[in-house]
Every structure is written in structure tokens, then in C-alpha cells.
Amino acid sequence: EAQVTQNPRYLITVTGKKLTVTCSQNMNHEYMSWYRQDPGLGLRQIYYSMNVEVTDKGDVPEGYKVSRKEKRNFPLILESPSPNQTSLYFCASSGGLDRTSPDTQYFGPGTRLTVL
Amino acid sequence: KNEVEQSPQNLTAQEGEFITINCSYSVGISALHWLQQHPGGGIVSLFMLSSGKKKHGRLIATINIQEKHSSLHITASHPRDSAVYICAGRRSYNTDKLIFGTGTRLQVFP
């Protein structure tokens, strides 16, 4: 089954304790992204990757790191989490960009993170 | 002012009604997504379009790139259509950078 998986689904942690949220897709997609969703602010893009070893900042990259060492995986790293990073996080992937045939984004189930 | 604006923010309808959700944007984009988020939180991509119109079942999406406007229509609405609908613009052809509207919450009553 084609899917994007995220782990963990729920995480409660404390300020400053490094954490990683994993994201994996089984569709051989080139493009992957991380988003956060907050009440009243909607979805905002954190980072995106257009291929292995190619990543770029979205609108809210501060406090986050990503890596894309393999095509299928795109982990989100919070080196020193703070309470303002409490949010619902989504990973997504898509096959690629084509002017004549734009592609669909496939979203993971979400990770609810609470930083105390 | 948000670069991507949706209207209305909230919408209630009776089952069977025709529904329209609008998305306007103030920046140049190359394509636009319509997403659906159910109360459980999962997000599903409904459409991605760069011109004209697309139809899938009871859902129709249109876009006018020059006028910077897109609409999502639901014909013969059903309570299972109750969800948050989100539009998102792709900034240019050679990037995966998206900008999102804040969503339209739709409730369809039997």
C-alpha cells in the first residue's frame, strides 16, 4: 500500500531534550516536506527536499533541522525543543514537478508533539 | 494580510446543497492544491491544478491563474463531506514550496 509513515504519532517531551520525528515513504517520490499546523495559523512549511541531499527552508525553519540521505526517509530533528514548538506535524511526499502534469501530495498521519 | 485567503472561514449546509469554497492569492503561483482534513486530523489531497477545471466524483475545482482565484465546488453535499478544506499555492515550477490558506470548516447536516 502506498503510504507515508511518521513516528512517533504522539510525543510529550521536555524543553531542551533532542528529538527526531521520522518520516518514510514507499512510493519512490522525489519530493518530501515537513509542515506544522497550529490553531489559527493553519499549515506552514518547515523544510522541503527535492531530492537526496537537496533540502531548502520553508516559511518556519527556525529551531528545526532535516536531512535527506536516502530517497525514502526525511527525518525532522529538533536539537533543543522549546514550548513554542508544541504543534501537530505532518510529513508529505510527491512524485515530482512537471509543468504539464503537476503531482499530488501524500500526507503522513501526523505527529502531535508537546514540549513542556 | 495572508498571501492566500479563503472564504468563507466557516460554512454550514443541509445535505444535498451545492457548496462553493473560494481561494484567492496575492502572489504568483504555478499551481494550486486543494486539501481535505477530516476531524481525525488526516490530510488528503483532493486536487492539484494549474489551469482550467478538474472533476472527481461530486467535487469540482477550477482555477484562473491570471485572476489569482480558485474555487472548490461540492455538488449534492453529504454529511461525510464535513471537514476542513485547505487551499495551498505552489510558488513556482521548480520548487516544492507551498503557501497555505487557513482553511474553511464545512459542516453538512442531514
Side-chain angles (χ1 to χ4, degrees):
Chain A
E1 181 193 351
Q3 60 182 351
V4 178
T5 56
Q6 294 179 228
N7 282 293
R9 296 286 313 279
Y10 302 90
L11 179 60
I12 301 174
T13 189
V14 295
T15 298
K17 187 176 180 182
K18 180 179 178 179
L19 66 92
T20 298
V21 184
T22 64
C23 173
S24 183
Q25 49 91 6
N26 63 0
M27 295 166 278
N28 201 36
H29 282 166
E30 289 185 356
Y31 300 125
M32 297 185 76
S33 288
W34 275 103
Y35 304 96
R36 61 178 290 175
Q37 187 176 38
D38 303 287
L41 297 175
L43 281 160
R44 292 177 292 171
Q45 194 169 34
I46 303 171
Y47 270 97
Y48 62 97
S49 169
M50 294 170 71
N51 213 329
V52 174
E53 303 290 4
V54 180
T55 63
D56 207 348
K57 296 177 181 178
D59 290 321
V60 288
E62 295 78 20
Y64 304 95
K65 283 176 60 176
V66 292
S67 69
R68 187 93 181 273
K69 292 183 170 50
E70 307 164 281
K71 200 171 186 179
R72 64 181 292 126
N73 296 322
F74 190 43
L76 180 70
I77 302 155
L78 285 72
E79 295 269 3
S80 183
S82 62
N84 65 12
Q85 293 178 297
T86 292
S87 187
L88 179 59
Y89 291 86
F90 289 97
C91 179
S93 73
S94 64
L97 288 173
D98 181 328
R99 284 189 182 214
T100 60
S101 181
D103 209 353
T104 301
Q105 290 241 336
Y106 293 83
F107 284 81
T111 295
R112 189 167 293 280
L113 171 65
T114 301
V115 183
L116 302 174
Chain B
K1 191 178 189 300
N2 291 336
E3 292 176 308
V4 179
E5 296 274 358
Q6 286 185 237
S7 63
Q9 287 189 327
N10 294 283
L11 184 55
T12 58
Q14 288 295 125
E15 183 173 357
E17 284 185 11
F18 181 86
I19 287 161
T20 296
I21 298 170
N22 295 299
C23 177
S24 297
Y25 44 94
S26 57
V27 294
I29 65 167
S30 62
L32 188 124
H33 293 268
W34 279 102
L35 309 173
Q36 180 192 57
Q37 186 172 27
H38 276 286
I43 299 175
V44 173
S45 180
L46 299 174
F47 297 102
M48 184 170 173
L49 62 167
S50 57
S51 64
K53 177 177 168 179
K54 284 190 176 180
K55 184 176 189 292
H56 182 70
R58 294 179 295 105
L59 302 178
I60 303 166
T62 63
I63 189 168
N64 186 318
I65 291 282
Q66 287 73 29
E67 292 186 7
K68 298 185 175 177
H69 182 267
S70 176
S71 293
L72 177 68
H73 306 285
I74 305 175
T75 62
S77 60
H78 190 276
R80 65 174 174 265
D81 297 325
S82 298
V84 176
Y85 292 84
I86 303 165
C87 66
R90 169 164 283 156
R91 290 188 186 264
S92 68
Y93 288 110
N94 59 353
T95 178
D96 202 29
K97 197 160 186 175
L98 298 184
I99 45 172
F100 293 86
T102 52
T104 295
R105 185 175 299 277
L106 170 65
Q107 288 185 289
V108 182
F109 294 99

